[in-house]
Amino acid sequence: MLNIIICGAPGCGKGTQSDLIVEKYALKHLSTGELLRREIHEKTELGLVAEKYISEGNLVPDQMIIDILIKNVDNETNGKGIILDGFPRTVAQAEALEDLLGKRNKETTMLLDLQVNEEELVNRLLKRGETSGRSDDNLETIKKRLEIYEQKTAPVNGYYKSLNKYVAIDGMGTVEEIFSRISEAIDSKK
Ligand code: AP5
Ligand code: MG
């Protein structure tokens, strides 16, 4: 079983690479950002709360995300494992995840940290913003998301380094080049 976390700054390619990982390794894709956007689209109570945080570039409160995650991890049934995209985003979320998996006799295989420079991140997100319709793909919110990433999410890397599960991946280049680096990292742990 492979339980892989794909992490990195906004626009680093988590969603793009997750799709390729899902195809090759038959994992279940869990993107907390996608789950939240679905709730917003369906105008649920949770969606209404989440919308304000997301459009301002802030993180949604930990407990709200952890509840969503528990529901979805337990729906994972094919036994191959999961790819977590955009979670954990704080050390508190990482601790909750490890606790949750441990109680189910599972564990995180590795955290892949996709490293992309800031200029490229901003360019990718502004380009996507021309068509995505995402309320957070504008320059002001992108800058805020990058700040929040440095403050709250980057420390998650240290947490997984201490567990010996941290793998840095060069996230610059073509989608295919990056995927081949990721595949190599996954295959070396299988
Ligand atoms: P989330 O949806 O996770 O957004 P994000 O982290 O800001 O990242 P993105 O989805 O924007 O980028 P990505 O890394 O997936 O890159 P992508 O592949 O799309 O979260 C959104 C918000 O939800 C958060 O700000 C927060 O408010 C809330 N939230 C979510 N999870 C949460 C949590 N756990 N706790 C609290 N709050 C949470 O690529 C980006 C673009 O670049 C695309 O257009 C793509 O086509 C292009 N691209 C990809 N790869 C390349 C390449 N190699 N070369 C050129 N272009 C490329
Ligand atoms: Mg994404």
Side-chain angles (χ1 to χ4, degrees):
M1 176 178 259
L2 287 167
N3 295 312
I4 296 172
I5 299 168
I6 188 157
C7 200
C12 70
K14 299 183 291 292
T16 305
Q17 296 297 331
S18 290
D19 289 343
L20 298 174
I21 296 171
V22 163
E23 209 178 295
K24 180 164 178 183
Y25 298 95
L27 306 184
K28 175 170 168 159
H29 184 198
L30 269 179
S31 158
T32 43
E34 296 289 328
L35 291 170
L36 290 168
R37 281 186 287 279
R38 193 175 314 148
E39 299 277 344
I40 292 172
H41 182 73
E42 289 169 2
K43 297 192 164 56
T44 64
E45 212 172 304
L46 183 99
L48 290 174
V49 179
E51 187 167 23
K52 194 169 154 41
Y53 290 97
I54 292 183
S55 63
E56 291 175 358
N58 285 311
L59 295 183
V60 169
D62 284 336
Q63 198 53 52
M64 208 164 133
I65 285 287
I66 291 164
D67 289 345
I68 294 180
L69 191 89
I70 292 176
K71 210 165 71 183
N72 283 281
V73 164
D74 287 337
N75 285 340
E76 191 277 310
T77 48
N78 78 0
K80 301 255 189 206
I82 46 179
I83 172 105
L84 290 164
D85 158 3
F87 181 96
R89 252 181 157 90
T90 62
V91 172
Q93 290 182 15
E95 287 167 350
L97 174 67
E98 295 312 312
D99 183 55
L100 177 101
L101 291 177
K103 283 186 177 138
R104 288 160 178 76
N105 279 323
K106 296 178 183 172
E107 61 171 354
T108 298
T109 312
M110 68 180 94
L111 176 144
L112 300 170
D113 176 24
L114 282 182
Q115 300 183 327
V116 174
N117 70 47
E118 185 165 326
E119 189 189 352
E120 172 74 6
L121 294 170
V122 173
N123 286 342
R124 287 186 191 175
L125 292 175
L126 285 177
K127 186 160 173 229
R128 187 179 65 191
E130 291 167 11
T131 53
S132 68
R134 271 177 61 163
S135 64
D136 55 352
D137 279 347
N138 59 78
L139 191 58
E140 192 189 349
T141 312
I142 291 167
K143 294 266 178 199
K144 180 70 193 258
R145 287 157 69 196
L146 291 171
E147 241 173 73
I148 296 282
Y149 171 79
E150 286 302 328
Q151 274 172 28
K152 302 202 166 150
T153 306
V156 172
N157 291 335
Y159 179 85
Y160 283 94
K161 275 179 195 161
S162 75
L163 297 179
N164 241 336
K165 293 185 171 174
Y166 172 87
V167 181
I169 300 284
D170 178 2
M172 299 286 289
T174 66
V175 169
E176 296 73 25
E177 281 165 353
I178 300 160
F179 184 59
S180 92
R181 293 174 199 141
I182 289 178
S183 293
E184 210 177 299
I186 295 177
D187 293 340
S188 75
K189 293 260 174 153
K190 262 187 12 176

